[in-house]
């Protein structure tokens, strides 16, 4: 449970409206939908999902907090594609762009807290060029470990920081993580697919920007605030966010300690369950991206591909090999199916069986359109 007294599983779709969805997006959203609706067994150990009624719910959140990245009408394309695919959600969609005041309040709450006599949130005057020069990207998820330049500046020269702020010098805001070896410096969590995860915050994550110098709130803060206040307790997303999960757990704990959650009537908060999926790469081994129009759902629809073919293909990528009531001994490829049919045979064991990233075959289009029917 995420909130005391809450027994219903609450998952979410959280697309960025930067373009049309691609196969990788559908793959992740299908997994989130299956997880939320899989019943008490959560798809573990081969337990069959109950189809008599919904076992959980899925919220739709349009993550358009970064306005410059949002493409006009992309939210409508996303919702139309989800309806077409049969991936329904509950309630009205939430837009991060309409929640700025809530993020402002969260930031003020964090500013009221200190960590070992150092502000939990502090101004950073470093430019991107400064950071690139001082840091090296970490493997796999493009994390830059902040070298602590402005943390040291505030510690050793607080008057200079004050003067810069009074002069209106452009700056971002960073959240402080504990010193190495200090209480809370190591975050652990259990992942449905990748098992126990352990991250040393100062060594592997570092102080992170939660509000950019242009005033835009970061993904890392906005997603934690939204999941906390919306009661999301079942999070499914790509494995490239494993490290971000450790940071988000830290931010979540800080928001609770600051009293922010209590202002919204949330008295007791347990952490969500997490499942981080293997990623989908194109035939050249490059991760799928909207900006490259990779396997664009709009293009596939225009080419006459039907929703059951796409769902079946994504289910196959997840490890689902076809409904249990269908006898197909020679079915080694994708099987055309609806989301409800995929739910009948969904288990996390299928995904855990192969944790490697999926690389699409050069003939992915013929694989997709050649999906076998379930009749």
């Amino acid at each position: 449970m995420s909130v005391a007294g809450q027994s219903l599983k609450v998952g979410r779709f959280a697309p960025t409206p930067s373009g049309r969805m691609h196969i990788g997006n559908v793959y992740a959203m299908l997994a989130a939908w299956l997880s939320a609706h899989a019943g008490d067994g959560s798809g573990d150990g081969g337990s069959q999902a109950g189809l008599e009624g919904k076992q959980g719910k899925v919220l739709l959140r349009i993550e358009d907090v970064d306005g410059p990245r949002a493409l006009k009408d992309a939210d409508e394309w996303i919702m139309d594609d989800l309806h077409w695919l049969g991936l329904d959600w509950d309630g009205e969609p939430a837009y991060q762009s309409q929640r700025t005041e809530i993020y402002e309040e969260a930031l003020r709450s964090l500013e009221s807290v200190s960590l070992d006599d150092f502000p939990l949130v502090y101004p950073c005057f470093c430019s991107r060029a400064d950071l690139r020069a001082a840091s090296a990207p970490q493997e796999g998820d493009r994390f830059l470990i902040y070298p602590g330049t402005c943390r040291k500046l505030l510690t050793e020269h607080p008057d200079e920081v004050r003067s810069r702020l009074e002069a209106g010098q452009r700056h971002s805001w960073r959240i402080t993580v504990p010193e190495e070896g200090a209480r809370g410096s190591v975050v652990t969590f259990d992942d449905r697919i990748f098992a126990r995860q352990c991250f040393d915050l100062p060594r592997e994550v570092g102080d992170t920007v939660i509000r950019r110098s242009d005033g835009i709130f970061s993904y890392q803060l906005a997603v934690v605030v939204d999941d906390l206040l919306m009661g999301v307790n079942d999070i499914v997303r790509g494995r490239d966010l494993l490290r971000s999960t450790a940071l988000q757990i830290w931010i979540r704990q800080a928001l609770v300690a600051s009293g922010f959650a209590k202002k919204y009537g949330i008295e007791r908060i347990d952490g969500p369950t997490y499942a981080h999926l293997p990623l989908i790469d194109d035939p050249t081994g490059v991760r799928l991206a909207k900006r490259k129009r990779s396997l664009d759902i709009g293009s596939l629809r225009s080419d006459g591909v039907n929703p059951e073919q796409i769902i079946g293909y994504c289910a196959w990528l997840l490890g689902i090999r076809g409904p249990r009531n269908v006898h197909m001994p020679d079915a080694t490829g994708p099987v055309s199916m609806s989301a409800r049919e995929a739910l009948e045979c969904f288990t996390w064991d299928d995904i855990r069986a192969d944790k490697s990233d999926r690389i699409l075959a050069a003939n992915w289009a013929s694989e997709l359109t050649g999906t076998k029917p379930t009749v």
Side-chain angles (χ1 to χ4, degrees):
M1 293 188 297
S2 180
V3 179
Q6 175 178 310
S7 58
L8 186 72
K9 285 206 304 184
V10 181
R12 40 67 156 181
F13 299 146
T16 301
S18 56
R20 200 76 182 244
M21 289 199 305
H22 55 62
I23 286 291
N25 302 133
V26 178
Y27 158 89
M29 290 184 182
L30 174 62
W33 189 92
L34 293 171
S35 180
H37 293 308
D40 292 339
S42 302
D44 280 311
S47 61
Q48 184 161 338
L51 296 181
E52 297 79 8
K54 288 187 177 180
Q55 302 299 316
K57 66 179 182 178
V58 179
L59 307 179
L60 176 61
R61 186 169 70 227
I62 304 298
E63 297 199 335
D64 59 347
V65 67
D66 189 348
R69 288 188 62 202
L71 191 65
K72 187 178 183 297
D73 297 329
D75 59 328
E76 298 294 337
W77 301 337
I78 290 168
M79 287 186 274
D80 181 63
D81 285 338
L82 289 173
H83 279 307
W84 180 74
L85 290 163
L87 297 176
D88 55 318
W89 64 89
D90 297 84
E92 294 297 317
Y95 286 78
Q96 286 187 332
S97 58
Q98 298 172 6
R99 298 171 61 81
T100 302
E101 290 183 6
I102 297 175
Y103 307 143
E104 294 269 10
E105 184 179 359
L107 180 59
R108 288 194 298 270
S109 293
L110 294 174
E111 288 174 333
S112 69
V113 180
S114 62
L115 179 66
D116 297 328
D117 297 323
F118 187 84
L120 186 60
V121 175
Y122 65 90
C124 176
F125 305 96
C126 298
S127 67
R128 289 187 179 183
D130 294 335
L131 298 179
R132 282 195 295 268
S135 304
Q138 303 303 299
E139 181 180 355
D141 54 12
R142 298 167 294 182
F143 240 91
L144 289 174
I145 307 300
Y146 182 59
T149 307
C150 288
R151 181 169 176 165
K152 183 178 180 182
L153 178 67
L154 182 57
T155 300
E156 299 179 355
H157 304 285
D159 291 340
E160 181 179 345
V161 173
R162 192 177 304 110
S163 296
R164 289 189 181 192
L165 292 174
E166 291 173 353
Q169 184 170 341
R170 188 181 176 97
H171 62 280
S172 61
W173 291 94
R174 289 185 181 273
I175 187 166
T176 308
V177 299
E179 297 280 0
E180 191 167 348
R183 182 173 59 88
S185 63
V186 176
V187 170
T188 61
F189 61 93
D190 292 312
D191 188 76
R192 287 189 183 278
I193 299 170
F194 289 93
R196 175 58 60 96
Q197 298 292 305
C198 181
F199 289 91
D200 187 307
L201 292 176
R203 293 180 61 250
E204 299 179 271
V205 178
D207 296 351
T208 303
V209 170
I210 57 173
R211 190 174 197 177
R212 296 179 352 195
S213 60
D214 58 5
I216 293 176
F217 286 97
S218 76
Y219 161 81
Q220 302 290 10
L221 178 65
V223 72
V224 176
V225 170
D226 291 341
D227 285 343
L228 179 61
L229 298 188
M230 294 177 182
V232 173
N233 57 16
D234 190 54
I235 295 175
V236 180
R237 54 193 181 187
R239 66 147 186 85
D240 55 324
L241 291 172
L242 277 166
R243 191 190 308 242
S244 285
T245 294
L247 172 63
Q248 290 167 19
I249 289 172
W250 171 248
I251 295 174
R252 184 185 181 96
Q253 292 170 346
L255 284 171
V256 173
S258 73
F260 172 77
K262 187 173 290 188
K263 295 176 184 177
Y264 288 85
I266 302 173
E267 297 292 337
R268 176 188 158 214
I269 297 94
D270 299 325
T273 59
Y274 296 99
H276 289 80
L277 306 169
L279 302 180
I280 305 293
D281 297 336
D282 70 15
T284 68
V286 176
R287 186 182 171 190
L288 300 184
K290 289 177 183 174
R291 64 182 178 274
K292 298 179 182 178
R293 292 180 60 82
S294 302
L295 286 72
D296 184 296
I297 299 303
S299 297
L300 293 173
R301 290 177 65 172
S302 297
D303 291 341
V305 177
N306 65 52
E308 289 78 17
Q309 288 174 313
I310 293 176
I311 292 293
Y313 190 67
C314 290
W316 178 66
L317 291 172
L318 286 170
I320 296 171
R321 291 296 178 254
R324 288 193 178 89
N325 61 344
V326 177
H327 181 60
M328 301 183 68
D330 59 342
T332 58
V335 175
S336 181
M337 68 181 79
S338 68
R340 283 283 161 184
E341 289 171 325
L343 182 58
E344 291 182 27
C345 50
F346 165 69
T347 75
W348 286 111
D349 288 341
D350 290 333
I351 305 176
R352 282 191 289 262
D354 181 5
K355 299 180 178 66
S356 61
D357 288 350
R358 280 54 165 155
I359 299 179
L360 301 181
N363 65 333
W364 65 265
S366 59
E367 277 188 334
L368 187 150
T369 56
T371 53
K372 303 169 184 62
T374 59
V375 294

